[in-house]
Amino acid sequence: MTDLPDEKTAKAPAIPPTMDDVAALAKVSRAVVSRALSASPRPVSADKRDRVLKAAEALGYRPNLLAQSLTTKRVNLVAVVVNHIHDLSDLDLFDRLLGAIQAVGKQVLLLKVGSVDRVEEFLRDGVAHHVDAALVWSDFADAATVRRMFRSDLVVMMNGRHDALSPAVVPDEAVGIGEAVADAAAKGVRRAALVTGRASSLIEQARIASFRVAFAAHAITLEQTLQGDYSYASGHRAASAFLSGPSPDAVFCTSDAMAMGVLDACRPLFPNNRPQRFRLYGFDNLSLTDYDAYPIASIGFDKALFVEHITRLVVEPDVFVPGSPPVSVPTHFFPRATA
Amino acid sequence: MTDLPDEKTAKAPAIPPTMDDVAALAKVSRAVVSRALSASPRPVSADKRDRVLKAAEALGYRPNLLAQSLTTKRVNLVAVVVNHIHDLSDLDLFDRLLGAIQAVGKQVLLLKVGSVDRVEEFLRDGVAHHVDAALVWSDFADAATVRRMFRSDLVVMMNGRHDALSPAVVPDEAVGIGEAVADAAAKGVRRAALVTGRASSLIEQARIASFRVAFAAHAITLEQTLQGDYSYASGHRAASAFLSGPSPDAVFCTSDAMAMGVLDACRPLFPNNRPQRFRLYGFDNLSLTDYDAYPIASIGFDKALFVEHITRLVVEPDVFVPGSPPVSVPTHFFPRATA
DNA sequence: CTGTTAGCGCCTTCAT
DNA sequence: ATGAAGGCGCTAACAG
């Protein structure tokens, strides 16, 4: 006979056991339970600690993290704010991030804030949990707004909309873009086209500017700029410009997805994936570019390093000195068949 | 002169205002503040409600959802438990799910539990927030364990490991598989090969069984079964079997990613994406199959419907009658060039 | 309609 | 080393 519920089929108890229950069972005070269960070593006699642990186990006790944070002021929650899921342009990045955050004992609250309206809504309705930190990719929120949303001073901005009070981690895209354009120049490219994303994003504006600088440095003429939205479909549409009429020597896209669209629309111009009329360069270095069908030369950064920087800021917020410049992660050119 | 902090650069106040502060400023009791700020209509005089709203605004007050849930017993948090991020085989599904959950006023806590060890760890360390509901994709957790992890009776299992106490939503794969195999049979396929994922997953076992049943029904011989892991790379590797020696009439893969790998490895056998030596069928109906390079016939379900079922269970947990069978979402065959 | 009074579950002094 | 007591921010009864 045992009082232990059958682990295999047990419902969660209608009313979950609290610290009081454990204390009662172990015949100690709540304070002792608190100490015995604490991660950090606290003075408790071995005997009582043992009783507490056993009692907790027997009851299936799990501390209520919410109640806990009410006094500790730390919720062990990190908000990740995105626009769409696809913002995390490569799932690899997101998977790593999630792993890293969990590894430091925190959990990820994923928020999709795909428009300014949504930001306002969150702010107005006040339905956002307080968190230890917020990591922001969404274009639609600036640092001050996010601080208000989550009642947290620790917001790390990855969307370029940081201010003096909040740290930021941003890829140094100029490097990789410079390398890619240099590669093109070395191969004789003189006339280029650029397929861009929404110019509303600060990141995108900077990206375009970097391309212009690099083109100028290598005496490459930017003959046409086509506006897309980062998607495959928009790249596919933009490609019509290169199929008819004189094409440029190289087409640069500010996302791999658009480059994939261009490539598919222009397959006849890429026999065996080798460029014939023009060379093709993407951006993001998606793992998809390792698939045979899309061997697109691209620009990317070290994801592990990127995540490491973010994680460090979450773990040691104090290393950030207000007003200091964003942490930058260098990008590099990854040559592939289409170049 | 104003006491309002500059919204554009404001830090979150070192010590955030509480309900008490608002009550004091508005010269009412905390209870009135609580009512005035409540979503559901509660008795408050228009005058006082107004003062409360103004005071809250002036202070930049945001209710502490944690403290709130301490009394209401509802945290407005829904855990989504995955194995890897890639479990959400299509981002579309996940994006919808996130949107749907936010639409009902809850937020998503994303947990990656990629191994049995991790499950044990979560259980042992007790570092998992209590949530209103948990939605489980990860193979590594059964319903009872998840109920314990999150102190919640409402866990919706999508991994096939449900029990009588927990609802489940599962695609009815037999339908789509039947349709796909029928399509192949109608085109004269007699000898088939199957490329599978990890057989440890219950879902995968059922999937394979369905294929066997369908093959038998259409007098198709399953000549070889190759073990992959759902990934592109594993499909690519498996394909070597079809390049040398006699190939089957059709290759069925239990994931689109593997089918993409097979397709790439066998490109010569698919001039213009038209099958020559064998037909190719995938699974999941990824949006990637809309890309020109991978026109893979596939099997999929209505994602909107799937998400709708899940959301309904979250919103109205009581509709679930313990012991009732899983909610099933029919799958269908989506013909494309490779078939 | 309004204010007062109890807690929710936990951690942290503070005595002991 | 231990227990008692207070309080974290909020909502839910209660009386008025």
Side-chain angles (χ1 to χ4, degrees), chain A residues 236-255:
Chain A
H236 214 284
R237 277 193 301 275
S240 58
F242 314 125
L243 283 171
S244 59
S247 58
D249 299 330
V251 173
F252 293 85
C253 301
T254 61
S255 85

Side-chain angles (χ1 to χ4, degrees), chain B residues 1-331:
Chain B
M1 293 283 291
T2 170
D3 281 357
L4 284 175
D6 180 347
E7 290 202 352
K8 285 301 151 213
T9 58
K11 289 184 62 163
I15 164 169
T18 75
M19 192 175 246
D20 271 324
D21 301 319
V22 178
L25 214 187
K27 300 194 189 311
V28 296
S29 71
R30 287 188 343 222
V32 171
V33 175
S34 175
R35 290 176 194 125
L37 263 32
S38 163
S40 44
R42 310 274 221 77
V44 189
S45 68
D47 164 46
K48 299 203 170 180
R49 159 179 280 105
D50 206 53
R51 274 153 51 197
V52 169
L53 261 35
K54 281 204 171 52
E57 174 65 28
L59 261 31
Y61 168 76
R62 341 232 59 215
N64 183 333
L65 267 49
L66 273 53
Q68 197 167 315
S69 44
L70 201 51
T71 53
T72 60
K73 301 291 185 190
R74 304 174 69 259
V75 291
N76 284 338
L77 240 36
V78 174
V80 171
V81 183
V82 301
N83 190 316
H84 300 297
I85 296 295
H86 301 78
D87 276 12
L88 291 322
S89 59
D90 203 332
L91 260 22
D92 289 353
L93 177 65
F94 194 28
D95 205 63
R96 280 168 200 269
L97 180 67
L98 191 55
I101 291 179
Q102 290 186 182
V104 299
K106 298 183 186 295
Q107 278 158 61
V108 168
L109 196 63
L110 186 59
L111 275 287
K112 178 173 120 163
V113 182
S115 71
V116 183
D117 289 352
R118 297 288 295 165
V119 178
E120 299 296 339
E121 189 181 325
F122 267 107
L123 236 31
R124 172 165 33 79
D125 299 348
V127 285
H129 277 275
H130 294 198
V131 298
D132 293 337
L135 315 180
V136 184
W137 269 266
S138 172
D139 296 339
F140 300 104
D142 59 278
T145 301
V146 176
R147 286 195 295 267
R148 286 208 301 150
M149 266 178 78
F150 298 105
R151 278 271 86 99
S152 170
D153 270 345
L154 183 55
V155 319
V156 185
M157 306 296 284
M158 263 64 66
N159 64 357
R161 303 189 61 179
H162 47 277
D163 58 18
L165 268 37
S166 291
V169 178
V170 294
D172 180 355
E173 308 195 327
V175 183
I177 290 174
E179 291 176 11
V181 173
D183 173 87
K187 289 169 176 165
V189 168
R190 314 247 58 121
R191 299 172 305 119
L194 189 59
V195 182
T196 73
R198 305 180 302 277
S200 62
S201 141
L202 287 180
I203 298 282
E204 182 65 5
Q205 288 171 24
R207 202 172 285 179
I208 294 171
S210 291
F211 269 110
R212 290 184 178 280
V213 169
F215 288 149
H218 291 278
I220 290 178
T221 315
L222 176 56
E223 294 197 328
Q224 48 185 333
T225 300
L226 300 164
Q227 155 98 42
D229 61 7
Y230 290 138
S231 73
Y232 173 87
S234 72
H236 214 284
R237 277 194 301 276
S240 58
F242 314 125
L243 283 171
S244 59
S247 57
D249 300 329
V251 174
F252 293 84
C253 301
T254 60
S255 85
D256 278 342
M258 291 193 294
M260 291 163 71
V262 170
L263 180 58
D264 276 340
C266 301
R267 281 282 173 198
L269 305 186
F270 286 82
N272 299 317
N273 287 329
R274 307 293 313 173
Q276 182 179 312
R277 286 242 292 276
F278 63 84
R279 299 170 189 281
L280 179 63
Y281 295 82
F283 206 108
D284 285 339
N285 200 30
L286 292 192
S287 49
L288 259 182
T289 53
D290 285 335
Y291 286 22
D292 293 352
Y294 296 109
I296 297 173
S298 193
I299 294 164
F301 54 82
D302 182 339
K303 282 152 198 152
L305 183 60
F306 194 78
V307 167
E308 202 174 288
H309 282 308
I310 296 174
T311 311
R312 198 173 45 82
L313 282 167
V314 170
V315 177
E316 309 170 6
D318 297 334
V319 303
F320 170 70
V321 181
S324 52
V327 176
S328 102
V329 177
T331 58

Side-chain angles (χ1 to χ4, degrees), chain A residues 93 96 171 285 299-309 329-332 334:
Chain A
L93 178 64
R96 279 168 201 270
N285 199 32
I299 294 164
F301 54 82
D302 182 339
K303 283 152 198 151
L305 184 60
F306 194 78
V307 167
E308 203 174 287
H309 282 308
V329 177
T331 58
H332 289 293
F334 291 81

Side-chain angles (χ1 to χ4, degrees), chain A residues 94-237:
Chain A
F94 194 28
D95 204 64
R96 279 168 201 270
L97 181 67
L98 191 55
I101 291 179
Q102 289 185 183
V104 300
K106 298 183 187 294
Q107 278 159 60
V108 167
L109 196 61
L110 186 58
L111 275 288
K112 178 170 119 164
V113 181
S115 71
V116 184
D117 289 352
R118 296 289 294 165
V119 178
E120 300 295 340
E121 190 182 325
F122 267 108
L123 237 30
R124 173 165 33 77
D125 300 348
V127 285
H129 278 276
H130 293 198
V131 298
D132 293 338
L135 314 180
V136 184
W137 269 266
S138 172
D139 296 339
F140 299 104
D142 59 278
T145 301
V146 176
R147 286 195 295 267
R148 285 209 299 150
M149 267 179 78
F150 299 105
R151 279 270 87 101
S152 169
D153 270 345
L154 183 54
V155 319
V156 186
M157 306 296 283
M158 264 63 66
N159 64 356
R161 303 188 62 178
H162 47 278
D163 58 17
L165 267 39
S166 291
V169 179
V170 293
D172 179 354
E173 308 195 328
V175 182
I177 290 174
E179 291 177 9
V181 173
D183 174 87
K187 289 168 175 164
V189 168
R190 314 248 58 122
R191 300 172 305 119
L194 189 60
V195 183
T196 74
R198 305 179 303 276
S200 62
S201 141
L202 287 180
I203 298 281
E204 182 66 4
Q205 289 171 23
R207 202 172 283 179
I208 294 171
S210 291
F211 270 109
R212 290 183 179 281
V213 169
F215 289 148
H218 291 278
I220 291 179
T221 315
L222 176 56
E223 294 197 329
Q224 48 185 333
T225 301
L226 299 166
Q227 156 97 43
D229 62 6
Y230 290 139
S231 73
Y232 174 85
S234 73
H236 214 284
R237 277 193 301 275

Side-chain angles (χ1 to χ4, degrees), chain A residues 37-95:
Chain A
L37 262 32
S38 165
S40 44
R42 309 276 224 75
V44 188
S45 67
D47 163 46
K48 298 202 171 180
R49 157 176 285 108
D50 206 52
R51 272 153 50 197
V52 169
L53 262 33
K54 281 204 171 53
E57 174 65 29
L59 261 32
Y61 167 76
R62 340 230 60 212
N64 183 331
L65 267 50
L66 272 54
Q68 198 166 313
S69 44
L70 202 52
T71 53
T72 61
K73 302 292 186 188
R74 305 175 70 261
V75 290
N76 283 338
L77 239 37
V78 174
V80 170
V81 183
V82 301
N83 191 316
H84 300 297
I85 297 294
H86 302 77
D87 276 13
L88 290 321
S89 58
D90 203 334
L91 259 22
D92 288 352
L93 178 64
F94 194 28
D95 204 64

Side-chain angles (χ1 to χ4, degrees), chain A residues 238-274:
Chain A
S240 58
F242 314 125
L243 283 171
S244 59
S247 58
D249 299 330
V251 173
F252 293 85
C253 301
T254 61
S255 85
D256 279 341
M258 292 193 294
M260 290 163 72
V262 170
L263 180 59
D264 275 341
C266 300
R267 282 284 173 197
L269 305 185
F270 286 81
N272 298 318
N273 287 329
R274 307 293 313 174

